[in-house]
Amino acid sequence: MSKKSKSSILIPVIGILAVVAGIIPFMVLQGKCSVSVREELDGEIVGYILGARYLFSGKDYYPEFLGGVPKTALMPPSFLTLILFRIFSPLHAYIANRFVVMMTAFAGMYLWLGRLTKNRLISMAVGVIFAFLPYFTVYGISVAGIPLVFLAFYELVYGENKKGSLIMPFVLIAYYGIGSSLVLCGFAVIGVLVIWFVFLLISQKKKGIGKKELFAGGMGIAELAIVYVILNISLLTQVFNPVSSYVSHKSEYVLNEASFAPYFWEMFTEGAVAVPSLHVVILPVAVLSLALIGVYHLVSKKKAEKDEKKNISAAVILILSAVLIAALSGLRHCHAIVGFLNSRGGALKSFQFDRFYWLYPFIWYSVLGLVGVLLVKTFSKYHIGTILFVIILIPCGLIVLKESAFKENAMEFFRENSTALTWDAFFCEDEFGEIAEYIKNETGLSRDEYRVGSLGIEPSVAFYSGFYTIDGYSNNYDVEYKHRFRKVIEKELDKNSYNRAYFDDWGNRCYLYSSEYYGNPLLSKYEHPYFADLELNTDALKDLGCRYILAAGMIEGADEKGLRLCTVFDKAEYTYVIYLYEVL
């Protein structure tokens, strides 16, 4: 085997081993692994567990959560991840899904940049960093798989188009559709592909693209759209034929205004919280590097080669795309657009057409790879370009590593007294099992014969241990239920304007809010929670079928407020001190 052949195998193997190393802490720690609650274990995990439970049952109603909801209220973002939850226990499905996301991210970015630049080493290095970004893995490969779907489209249009060569691109497109979310970013990916396709139609003669290639590209886009329609048919039916379903609480969304310039700049320089791209170093060095390369060619009067021009054009187009995406986000929050959308009802108001920012990680790490190849090529003398790129790559990698889930979990092996919130600590199954056993012994009732509400604790915790809840996190539940639930917490909302706006104007978290705490705090026993002035409408609670309140702290004067303290659950190994109250 030649040195070149060995190198072509060794380089991606090193990247794969790096990704495997990134998942090892999760595999070793298991239930002791550190987890992110927000966006992952507070709501999406419920959708996957219920979706997997009823996957082949034909049932379209889930009685266990939020007082009972249609399945469209808890649509899992990724069907591929749903299959993992069907096969494995929730914990093992969570870990397996993380591995799938990371491996997809690496493979996609490595192959995508390798196709554009022909530089395997740089493609591997950037691919590894891209794989370690702190993804919310419950979204499947929505972000991590974007390089793969763009690679597939590229191959359909620019590939050799030999017999059988189109099979893999179509497979990759189907894989992305099955593993990603139409609502979160799928429509944006399709939108960009359509724009790319239209550009190819206009410039096909100049680009030397034939009708067969254009047809293949169009079929790729159509395939992705068809996969999404099949997997989201019930949700699409609700959107386009609302008479046949319920009215979503999204109809009451109130969009908030923001000044265009600050919002634009924040998005352009920092990206979105839900889609961390961590491009704080990439943005300035990419612009400076492209400027430096331009000055070099101008001063030296040395023309850039064809491949260099192609990579420069690609990098510039990607950066300009990032500018346009940030501008689109800024426009959606400006006064005129917000006023127009708030005055309209239905899907138009709740549709987040600015979610093209989900492409930011793909855009910025593609730019990083392209700039790296350009620096190495342009300043090859004395390996100056290579040195410059390594200097750029190190802080980029360290920033990603610092924010990654790998770092937090790897540190667990070196901590004597860990304070990290782990899977086991969050769900605390032993404690909630003890609560269920107590109620069973006292009343003879099993968990499916009564409902509970959680105060200062994520409702997903009670659900995970088999309780039927009146509360929960959903981005698409019945607005009538929201109104019924609001009666329970009406006095608490009146005492806290932040919580009132949080529930009334948004409402995805249908929780038992306390005016003494802002938002939806996760109150472990270490916070010593105490509810001195809680006023819940117990008649409204009973109307929702709620028999017990699982409170993270003591409710002062509970007896006078229609609540009877049954007992307290508190052991050294428990995360929470649970005060069990019966609704009288």
Side-chain angles (χ1 to χ4, degrees), residues 110-130:
Y110 171 74
L111 294 171
W112 163 251
L113 285 177
R115 185 68 168 87
L116 291 184
T117 67
K118 309 295 189 294
N119 189 311
R120 291 190 180 92
L121 191 59
I122 288 177
S123 300
M124 182 273 288
V126 176
V128 169
I129 295 175
F130 184 70

Side-chain angles (χ1 to χ4, degrees), residues 367-562:
V367 168
L368 178 62
L370 290 166
V371 165
V373 171
L374 287 167
L375 286 173
V376 170
K377 177 72 174 177
T378 304
F379 304 105
S380 57
K381 191 174 183 179
Y382 306 120
H383 303 292
I384 292 175
T386 301
I387 294 170
L388 287 173
F389 183 61
V390 171
I391 292 172
I392 294 168
L393 199 65
I394 289 174
C396 290
L398 289 176
I399 289 170
V400 170
L401 191 63
K402 177 179 177 293
E403 299 297 327
S404 70
F406 166 77
K407 185 268 258 186
E408 188 64 31
N409 281 278
M411 291 298 293
E412 287 297 294
F413 294 109
F414 305 99
R415 291 170 177 156
E416 292 185 8
N417 298 308
S418 175
T419 58
L421 181 62
T422 66
W423 179 283
D424 286 345
F426 175 69
F427 287 116
C428 210
E429 290 183 81
D430 289 343
E431 181 173 16
F432 281 79
E434 186 181 339
I435 295 171
E437 188 65 26
Y438 171 86
I439 294 174
K440 179 74 172 178
N441 292 337
E442 291 292 312
T443 66
L445 298 175
S446 58
R447 279 169 274 199
D448 61 348
E449 295 180 283
Y450 58 88
R451 297 191 183 279
V452 302
S454 298
L455 180 65
I457 309 166
E458 290 289 346
S460 60
V461 176
F463 161 81
Y464 190 83
S465 288
F467 289 97
Y468 281 47
T469 74
I470 61 164
D471 42 4
Y473 181 104
S474 168
N475 57 20
N476 187 29
Y477 63 97
D478 195 332
V479 70
E480 289 188 13
Y481 190 82
K482 180 185 177 183
H483 295 164
R484 292 173 61 199
F485 194 93
R486 194 187 191 285
K487 293 178 182 179
V488 175
I489 55 176
E490 184 172 16
K491 290 183 178 180
E492 292 302 300
L493 296 182
D494 288 341
K495 292 183 286 186
N496 188 312
S497 59
Y498 176 89
N499 287 351
R500 183 170 63 250
Y502 193 63
F503 182 78
D504 289 346
D505 297 349
W506 188 55
N508 282 12
R509 288 191 170 95
C510 190
Y511 289 8
L512 294 178
Y513 292 98
S514 165
S515 61
E516 296 163 87
Y517 295 94
Y518 286 81
N520 55 305
L522 181 63
L523 303 174
S524 72
K525 62 184 176 184
Y526 306 108
E527 278 78 41
H528 305 290
Y530 184 77
F531 303 95
D533 188 34
L534 186 72
E535 295 181 88
L536 299 179
N537 185 329
T538 53
D539 288 335
L541 275 171
K542 288 186 284 188
D543 181 58
L544 296 177
C546 182
R547 180 156 181 172
Y548 294 100
I549 297 293
L550 308 177
M554 181 178 176
I555 301 174
E556 185 175 308
D559 290 339
E560 301 167 6
K561 299 172 180 178

Side-chain angles (χ1 to χ4, degrees), residues 120-403:
R120 291 190 180 92
L121 191 59
I122 288 177
S123 300
M124 182 273 288
V126 176
V128 169
I129 295 175
F130 184 70
F132 276 79
L133 279 171
Y135 301 105
F136 290 118
T137 55
V138 289
Y139 299 145
I141 60 170
S142 294
V143 178
I146 290 177
L148 271 184
V149 77
F150 276 83
L151 170 70
F153 185 80
Y154 190 95
E155 290 293 343
L156 289 175
V157 176
Y158 295 106
E160 296 180 358
N161 214 0
K162 293 180 181 178
K163 186 176 180 181
S165 64
L166 299 182
I167 295 176
M168 186 52 67
F170 284 117
V171 169
L172 292 178
I173 289 171
Y175 172 66
Y176 180 74
I178 292 170
S180 63
S181 168
L182 167 65
V183 174
L184 295 177
C185 67
F187 71 89
V189 171
I190 291 176
V192 172
L193 290 176
V194 169
I195 292 171
W196 190 358
F197 183 73
V198 171
F199 172 78
L200 292 174
L201 280 176
I202 296 171
S203 60
Q204 59 176 305
K205 290 183 180 179
K206 184 178 178 181
K207 299 288 184 181
I209 301 171
K211 292 182 179 179
K212 288 184 178 180
E213 289 78 12
L214 286 173
F215 178 76
M219 288 298 294
I221 297 172
E223 178 194 11
L224 183 57
I226 290 170
V227 171
Y228 278 140
V229 168
I230 293 172
L231 294 177
N232 296 272
I233 189 66
S234 58
L235 183 62
L236 293 171
T237 299
Q238 180 193 352
V239 172
F240 294 107
N241 186 24
V243 176
S244 64
S245 186
Y246 59 93
V247 177
S248 173
H249 80 287
K250 285 184 176 182
S251 61
E252 294 187 343
Y253 272 7
V254 176
L255 305 180
N256 296 317
E257 295 180 15
S259 298
F260 174 82
Y263 200 94
F264 163 82
W265 186 248
E266 182 179 353
M267 178 62 71
F268 183 57
T269 57
E270 300 178 21
V273 175
V275 197
S277 49
L278 306 179
H279 60 274
V280 63
V281 172
I282 300 174
L283 171 56
V285 300
V287 174
L288 288 173
S289 297
L290 291 172
L292 184 62
I293 291 167
V295 170
Y296 170 80
H297 285 297
L298 186 64
V299 173
S300 66
K301 297 181 180 180
K302 183 180 178 181
K303 291 185 177 180
E305 296 178 5
K306 184 178 179 181
D307 286 345
E308 286 182 274
K309 289 180 178 178
K310 186 178 177 181
N311 289 337
I312 290 171
S313 297
V316 170
I317 289 171
L318 286 167
I319 293 173
L320 290 176
S321 298
V323 172
L324 290 173
I325 289 170
L328 186 64
S329 294
L331 283 172
R332 185 177 183 268
H333 290 84
C334 71
H335 175 75
I337 300 297
V338 168
F340 172 78
L341 292 175
N342 279 333
S343 67
R344 299 294 187 273
L348 179 63
K349 183 172 67 172
S350 59
F351 177 58
Q352 293 181 252
F353 60 80
D354 61 337
R355 275 189 167 163
F356 286 85
Y357 58 70
W358 281 69
L359 280 80
Y360 258 31
F362 162 73
I363 289 173
W364 288 115
Y365 289 87
S366 295
V367 168
L368 178 62
L370 290 166
V371 165
V373 171
L374 287 167
L375 286 173
V376 170
K377 177 72 174 177
T378 304
F379 304 105
S380 57
K381 191 174 183 179
Y382 306 120
H383 303 292
I384 292 175
T386 301
I387 294 170
L388 287 173
F389 183 61
V390 171
I391 292 172
I392 294 168
L393 199 65
I394 289 174
C396 290
L398 289 176
I399 289 170
V400 170
L401 191 63
K402 177 179 177 293
E403 299 297 327

